[in-house]
Amino acid sequence: MDAFNQRLNAHFEAWLGPRDKRVRGMLLLDGYLPTLALTLGYLLVVWMGPRYMKHRQPYSCRGAMMLYNLGITILSFGMFSELVAAVWPGDYDFYCQSTHGPQEVDKKIINILWWYYFSKLLEFMDTFFFILRKNNHQVTFLHVYHHISMLNIWWFVMNWIPCGHSFFGPTLNCFVHVVMYSYYGLSAIPAVRPYLWWKKHITQLQLIQFGLTVFHALCAVVWPCGFSLGWLYFQISYMVSLVIFFLNFYTQTYKKHKASLKKDHQSGSTAFKNGHAKADPAPALKKRRVD
C-alpha cells in the first residue's frame, strides 16, 4: 500500500508540480489513498444504506443530530473567526495572495484549512442521518456530488495551495455553515421548528457565496501575484457548476412549489365561486393540513 501511495503521489507531482512541504506529516495529507478509500466507503454507504433500511423502521437520531449540528456549527464558527483574525491585520492581499506570504500568517492559515478539509469528512454524517431516518429523497445527486467533490478537492488544495488566495472560499463557506447547521440543529426540536423562517434564505446565501468566490478568484486572474492560474480556473469552473446545480435546486424547491400553491389557491377560489366548495369542504381542508 505504501508503494502504491508513493507511485500515486509521484503521478500527481508529475502532473501538478511539487507538493507543498509545509503540510508533510499532517493527518490524511501524506497520501491520497486514505481520502480515496473514505470517498469509496461513503459511496458504498449511499448505495447500500437505503437497501439495508428498506424493511426497517427509521431511526429518530434526534439527540445525535442535535449534538452533531451543534458541533459543526461551533467548528465552523471557530474556523471563520480564526481565518478572519489571521487575514484581517492586512498581511494578506485581498486581490491576490501568493502561497508564500508572511510566514506566521501562512502557518496559521494552513492549520485552519486542515480543519476545514477534515470538516468535509465529518459532514458525510449529513448523508448517513438522511439514510438512517429514511429520508432518501434528500440524498440527491447534488448532495452526493457536493460532499465527495469537496473532500477530494481539498486534499489537493491542502497539498499544493494550502494558504494564500485559498483562504477566501473557506471563510465564506464557514460563515454559511454557521447559519445552515444552526438551522438544522434547531429544526431537530419540534417545538422550535415552526419559528424557523430562514431555510429558503440558506440557498440564497450559498449562491451569493459562490458568486463572491468566483469574483475573488477572478481578481487574482486580473491582478496576478504568482498564485497558480490553473487552480484559479479550476475553482471558477467548479463554482460555476455549483451555481448551476444550486439554482436548479432553488427553482425546483421554492419557485415551482410557490407556483403550485398559487395555482391550488386559485383553483380553490374558482371552485368556491362556482359553488363546488360548499358540497364537501372538510376533505379539502383536511388534505391541505396533511400536505
Side-chain angles (χ1 to χ4, degrees):
M1 295 298 285
D2 287 340
F4 178 75
N5 221 2
Q6 289 174 8
R7 283 199 299 270
L8 202 58
N9 289 342
H11 212 41
F12 290 143
E13 290 192 27
W15 175 37
L16 298 169
R19 293 189 297 161
D20 197 307
K21 294 180 180 179
R22 291 172 291 182
V23 300
R24 294 287 170 86
M26 298 183 81
L27 184 63
L28 299 175
L29 294 185
D30 281 345
Y32 179 60
L33 207 55
T35 298
L36 178 61
L38 289 165
T39 303
L40 294 175
Y42 171 81
L43 291 173
L44 184 64
V45 172
V46 169
W47 179 51
M48 292 297 296
R51 289 166 173 77
Y52 173 79
M53 291 297 299
K54 187 174 182 180
H55 300 296
R56 289 174 171 80
Q57 290 296 318
Y59 295 94
S60 169
C61 301
R62 184 176 299 167
M65 286 174 58
M66 288 175 63
L67 287 173
Y68 164 73
N69 288 309
L70 176 63
I72 296 295
T73 301
I74 293 171
L75 177 60
S76 298
F77 181 75
M79 291 187 292
F80 171 76
S81 302
E82 289 294 317
L83 284 167
V84 171
V87 301
W88 188 260
D91 294 325
Y92 258 38
D93 189 334
F94 173 82
Y95 296 103
C96 186
Q97 177 62 50
S98 73
T99 54
H100 295 285
Q103 188 175 352
E104 285 302 313
V105 180
D106 282 349
K107 184 179 178 181
K108 188 178 289 187
I109 295 294
I110 289 170
N111 289 330
I112 301 167
L113 291 186
W114 179 86
W115 278 103
Y116 182 76
Y117 155 75
F118 187 70
S119 73
K120 300 304 140 189
L121 176 60
L122 299 179
E123 288 166 18
F124 280 0
M125 288 301 300
D126 294 352
T127 313
F128 302 157
F129 281 128
F130 287 153
I131 292 171
L132 289 172
R133 299 174 69 213
K134 298 185 79 168
N135 291 340
N136 297 327
H137 64 282
Q138 292 181 285
V139 187
T140 60
F141 172 79
L142 169 58
H143 177 87
V144 175
Y145 167 75
H146 184 54
H147 277 292
I148 62 174
S149 61
M150 285 297 288
L151 179 70
N152 285 270
I153 287 170
W154 272 91
W155 183 87
F156 286 95
V157 170
M158 288 306 299
N159 271 282
W160 275 272
I161 47 169
C163 55
H165 212 67
S166 305
F167 82 92
F168 187 75
T171 305
L172 287 182
N173 190 237
C174 287
F175 174 76
V176 171
H177 278 196
V178 170
V179 177
M180 185 173 73
Y181 281 98
S182 62
Y183 170 85
Y184 289 154
L186 291 170
S187 66
I189 308 172
V192 177
R193 202 175 298 155
Y195 303 99
L196 302 177
W197 50 267
W198 64 90
K199 181 180 180 181
K200 176 181 177 180
H201 301 294
I202 292 172
T203 307
Q204 295 172 343
L205 196 60
Q206 288 170 315
L207 288 167
I208 293 170
Q209 168 202 331
F210 302 147
L212 289 174
T213 304
V214 169
F215 172 76
H216 186 250
L218 284 172
C219 286
V221 173
V222 176
W223 296 287
C225 61
F227 192 87
S228 170
L229 287 175
W231 281 107
L232 291 170
Y233 292 140
F234 173 79
Q235 183 183 34
I236 292 168
S237 301
Y238 180 67
M239 287 296 118
V240 168
S241 77
L242 291 182
V243 168
I244 293 168
F245 285 129
F246 274 77
L247 270 177
N248 179 65
F249 167 79
Y250 184 80
T251 303
Q252 296 290 332
T253 305
Y254 299 110
K255 296 293 185 181
K256 288 192 175 181
H257 179 65
K258 186 177 179 180
S260 177
L261 288 176
K262 186 177 180 181
K263 184 178 179 181
D264 288 346
H265 178 72
Q266 290 174 343
S267 299
S269 300
T270 304
F272 184 80
K273 288 177 182 178
N274 293 336
H276 298 304
K278 295 178 181 179
D280 190 9
L285 290 171
K286 188 175 181 181
K287 184 177 184 299
R288 286 189 182 180
R289 286 172 187 160
V290 171
D291 292 342

